[in-house]
Amino acid sequence: MFSKLKIFWITAGFSLNMFFAHAQVATLEDSLSSISPGFYKSLQTERAKGNRSDSLYWILSNRERLQFLQSNPVQLVFDTLKQAGLIEMHYKNTEKNIRLPVEAYRTYTAAFYTEGFTTVGKAKIQGRFYFDKIWEDSLANNLSESLQPGTPFTHFAAKAGNYERQNIRFEAGLGLPLAGGFQMTSLLNYDYHWSSGSVDPRPENKIFQIKYTPGLAYKYKNTILGAGYMIGKTDGAYDILYKNEMFRTSQLYPDRRLYINNGYGYIGQYTSEAYSKSKDKIDGWIINMATHISNWWVKGNYSNSFFAKRNFILSTNKDSLNNPIQEQVHSKYELLVKKLEALIYNENQKRVHQISFNGSINEGTAVLMSSSNGANYLYDGHNALLDYLLSLKNFGKVLVELGFNGMFNHFKKKDFLAMHFYEHTRADFSLYAGKYFYGAKHNFKINVKSGLMLPLKNDLSVPLTQVNVFTGNITYPEYDFRGSTFFSGKLSLMYYSPSLLRLAGSSISLNIDYLQKLKDSDISRALVPTYTGKNQFSISLGFQIFL
């Protein structure tokens, strides 16, 4: 993985125009051979053998299969593939004329991602690294970290402003063979999130999460079974400041007032953060399986994770020298997450049938410590995604890919203190088509995807006596967005060259996403904001290196 990072930092120093100049590409080879001669030699050897990751990432069905393999060391260690690697950089610009109330109007994202695995003796080592920098323009009602669906105890203000976010994710996995068909596995995950705002009230959040999953797997003929236990923790630090004291104390600027959402509608007003520290305890278990039946591969992962979060108010304890900072529990949120992912495929010389499924259940319970009524908020979410992909081949090469995608989403939010009850069900359907063009030295592919987002149920209950600033700024606009019907479209272009860098295959990609509202929800237009348009548009440019 560290050798792959060296390639990126060397490559990133050149512009895209420089990649197309032969003499300058030779300079890249010279630089790599001087920095890491061992890795440079092994890369040349593997390239001469034809052991490259080009087709694994170039073909969509292969890429989905490879990503599933790297989802857990158990799936990886029993697969016959020895190694693969990818380095990717991309820049994305998103403009949302219509959006959820906690989303920004415009977002810019610069990201770097690398993944890969290799075989050392009988052991397999895998790793992933992701880094991004996000700039958000005109974001309101969201002073917290990137929100997960249904999360309570979040700070917000109606004032729109500019925000910066940064994410770092690292993953390392290992599979070691034992006697009698057993394998020992180990997986480490580390996440870091930072976000900051530029207008009063301005937040600064830092969140660290680490998880470790040791496991054991066993293979009998064509079937593997594995199990692991996950432990981890999350630490969060939150700071919300006013640089202009007038915005903190004056009643002339209602959009500058700081609130906390204690569930889904029960709010409190503050002049600084309601709590400044959080701690999560994480534990769970995972089961993995894979088998080969009648020319079909069947693979699956199931996990059950429990997150116990505590939010703390920090105060000075003048009576203690050893513990000058006193922690008082502000609130608790416990979340149970169940996930199932499966991959089924069959391949021959003419075609590939591939079916993938992802499902999750989220059950959350929130308790505000100042309330004596027990749980004040409940969240229940169900998600399911089914994808079918048909790849048609000629002389072993994939020429056309056709697919169907269906997604189901259902959730309930119940705030018992504010009497806000929201239930929503949505179904998304889309069709996919891809065409591959092969040249003597260069390849090209084009993918098109289009679909519909249909609300099946959208029920909201809010008593008139409980309507507040959260209801008007977040609840009603969310109901309006989720209750609307949308058309979605995506166009993807990719140019591939096996010799652009000479050392490894590489590609340049362009992705365009479009979302258009077709039908409004049934809410009164007087209760929701007037947006500048009825669509979303995003465009991204990426560069990939296949190792």
Side-chain angles (χ1 to χ4, degrees):
M1 292 298 298
F2 292 107
S3 298
K4 294 176 184 177
L5 287 176
K6 291 180 182 177
I7 293 179
F8 167 71
W9 293 120
I10 296 169
T11 308
F14 298 89
S15 65
L16 288 177
N17 290 332
M18 297 176 71
F19 283 127
F20 290 95
H22 175 83
Q24 290 154 328
V25 171
T27 303
L28 173 63
E29 293 185 82
D30 295 338
S31 301
L32 182 60
S33 62
S34 61
I35 292 177
S36 182
F39 176 73
Y40 172 77
K41 184 177 180 180
S42 65
L43 190 59
Q44 283 186 318
T45 302
E46 295 300 323
R47 181 175 173 84
K49 294 179 181 178
N51 297 332
R52 295 155 50 191
S53 303
D54 306 32
S55 62
L56 297 176
Y57 287 101
W58 170 253
I59 305 300
L60 178 60
S61 57
N62 289 344
R63 181 165 187 163
E64 290 181 352
R65 206 177 305 172
L66 189 61
Q67 290 174 340
F68 189 89
L69 280 180
Q70 297 180 82
S71 64
N72 189 277
V74 174
Q75 299 291 350
L76 187 63
V77 294
F78 287 107
D79 193 85
T80 57
L81 194 61
K82 297 295 183 181
Q83 66 180 36
L86 167 72
I87 295 175
E88 182 173 16
M89 298 164 279
H90 79 260
Y91 178 80
K92 184 175 183 179
N93 180 6
T94 301
E95 185 175 293
K96 297 182 177 181
N97 292 307
I98 186 170
R99 57 197 178 274
L100 287 169
V102 293
E103 293 180 334
Y105 165 65
R106 184 178 285 114
T107 303
Y108 306 94
T109 304
F112 165 71
Y113 174 74
T114 179
E115 70 173 33
F117 64 91
T118 188
T119 303
V120 181
K122 294 183 178 181
K124 282 190 175 179
I125 302 173
Q126 71 176 102
R128 291 178 178 176
F129 177 79
Y130 175 84
F131 170 83
D132 70 24
K133 186 76 172 181
I134 302 172
W135 297 267
E136 295 177 315
D137 179 22
S138 301
L139 172 65
N141 306 309
N142 182 1
L143 299 179
S144 299
E145 72 279 7
S146 298
L147 295 180
Q148 297 298 321
T151 303
F153 307 117
T154 54
H155 297 90
F156 73 96
K159 177 65 178 178
N162 299 330
Y163 292 80
E164 290 187 22
R165 304 187 192 274
Q166 182 175 295
N167 295 283
I168 298 175
R169 303 187 185 100
F170 171 78
E171 177 181 289
L174 175 66
L176 293 173
L178 303 175
F182 285 93
Q183 286 267 359
M184 181 186 72
T185 62
S186 178
L187 184 65
L188 177 68
N189 298 88
Y190 172 82
D191 289 351
Y192 166 77
H193 171 86
W194 168 85
S195 60
S196 178
S198 61
V199 298
D200 290 342
R202 56 192 74 210
E204 182 159 346
N205 306 317
K206 295 179 181 179
I207 302 172
F208 304 85
Q209 183 183 92
I210 187 168
K211 295 185 294 185
Y212 177 62
T213 310
L216 186 67
Y218 176 73
K219 180 178 182 180
Y220 178 73
K221 294 184 178 180
N222 291 327
T223 301
I224 62 171
L225 291 173
Y229 178 72
M230 179 177 63
I231 55 174
K233 69 170 186 175
T234 304
D235 293 324
Y238 313 92
D239 191 13
I240 301 178
L241 300 174
Y242 284 87
K243 284 192 174 182
N244 190 326
E245 191 66 22
M246 178 177 59
F247 292 143
R248 180 201 299 268
T249 57
S250 177
Q251 298 299 314
L252 299 177
Y253 306 94
D255 59 343
R256 303 278 187 166
R257 295 172 187 170
L258 173 63
Y259 299 92
I260 183 170
N261 168 37
N262 293 305
Y264 189 69
Y266 186 70
I267 62 175
Q269 185 177 346
Y270 291 81
T271 56
S272 63
E273 66 277 359
Y275 59 88
S276 52
K277 181 179 180 180
S278 69
K279 294 180 180 179
D280 290 47
K281 180 181 178 182
I282 307 171
D283 66 271
W285 49 270
I286 184 171
I287 297 176
N288 319 97
M289 65 79 61
T291 188
H292 190 250
I293 305 174
S294 301
N295 297 323
W296 285 86
W297 276 104
V298 181
K299 303 182 179 185
N301 301 318
Y302 176 80
S303 64
N304 190 300
S305 308
F306 184 73
F307 302 79
K309 184 176 184 179
R310 303 292 185 269
N311 300 313
F312 296 95
I313 302 171
L314 302 183
S315 58
T316 303
N317 186 2
K318 299 180 180 179
D319 298 329
S320 175
L321 297 177
N322 296 326
N323 299 295
I325 303 299
Q326 184 176 6
E327 296 181 351
Q328 179 183 352
V329 179
H330 169 272
S331 51
K332 302 177 182 180
Y333 184 58
E334 296 181 346
L335 180 65
L336 177 63
V337 180
K338 304 174 184 178
K339 290 184 179 181
L340 172 65
E341 54 181 358
L343 182 68
I344 305 172
Y345 59 91
N346 170 280
E347 182 173 5
N348 55 39
Q349 289 297 319
K350 294 184 177 181
R351 65 183 63 87
V352 179
H353 296 281
Q354 189 159 292
I355 302 171
S356 62
F357 173 82
N358 289 275
S360 66
I361 298 176
N362 297 264
E363 299 173 346
T365 303
V367 177
L368 180 64
M369 303 310 294
S370 60
S371 172
S372 59
N373 298 324
N376 65 287
Y377 169 76
L378 297 178
Y379 175 76
D380 182 38
H382 298 74
N383 297 280
L385 174 65
L386 180 65
D387 184 85
Y388 170 74
L389 187 64
L390 171 64
S391 303
L392 302 177
K393 300 193 292 185
N394 186 23
F395 298 105
K397 288 186 176 181
V398 174
L399 298 180
V400 176
E401 286 184 320
L402 303 172
F404 169 82
N405 178 278
M407 186 180 72
F408 173 84
N409 172 262
H410 172 79
F411 66 78
K412 293 180 181 179
K413 301 178 183 180
K414 298 180 179 181
D415 190 317
F416 299 103
L417 296 181
M419 301 301 292
H420 283 47
F421 303 110
Y422 186 26
E423 182 176 1
H424 175 77
T425 305
R426 190 188 79 198
D428 299 353
F429 304 98
S430 59
L431 297 175
Y432 166 88
K435 175 64 176 176
Y436 294 79
F437 302 89
Y438 297 91
K441 295 183 179 181
H442 309 283
N443 300 334
F444 180 78
K445 73 174 180 178
I446 178 172
N447 302 327
V448 179
K449 187 176 182 180
S450 62
L452 292 174
M453 300 170 56
L454 306 173
L456 302 181
K457 187 174 184 179
N458 201 41
D459 292 341
L460 176 66
S461 174
V462 178
L464 292 178
T465 56
Q466 297 291 338
V467 173
N468 55 37
V469 64
F470 180 91
T471 313
N473 286 0
I474 298 179
T475 304
Y476 289 157
E478 180 181 1
Y479 175 88
D480 177 45
F481 182 87
R482 297 192 185 277
S484 302
T485 301
F486 292 93
F487 164 81
S488 64
K490 182 173 183 178
L491 173 66
S492 300
L493 306 174
M494 179 174 282
Y495 165 82
Y496 166 77
S497 171
S499 57
L500 190 62
L501 297 180
R502 296 181 60 180
L503 288 175
S506 56
S507 65
I508 299 173
S509 62
L510 176 68
N511 295 283
I512 299 174
D513 291 87
Y514 183 76
L515 187 72
Q516 177 68 46
K517 179 191 277 192
L518 301 179
K519 182 181 178 181
D520 289 331
S521 71
D522 58 1
I523 196 172
S524 170
R525 297 293 97 191
L527 297 177
V528 294
T530 301
Y531 293 103
T532 56
K534 293 187 176 184
N535 55 62
Q536 296 181 4
F537 178 83
S538 71
I539 182 170
S540 65
L541 179 66
F543 180 72
Q544 300 81 28
I545 303 174
F546 308 109
L547 301 176

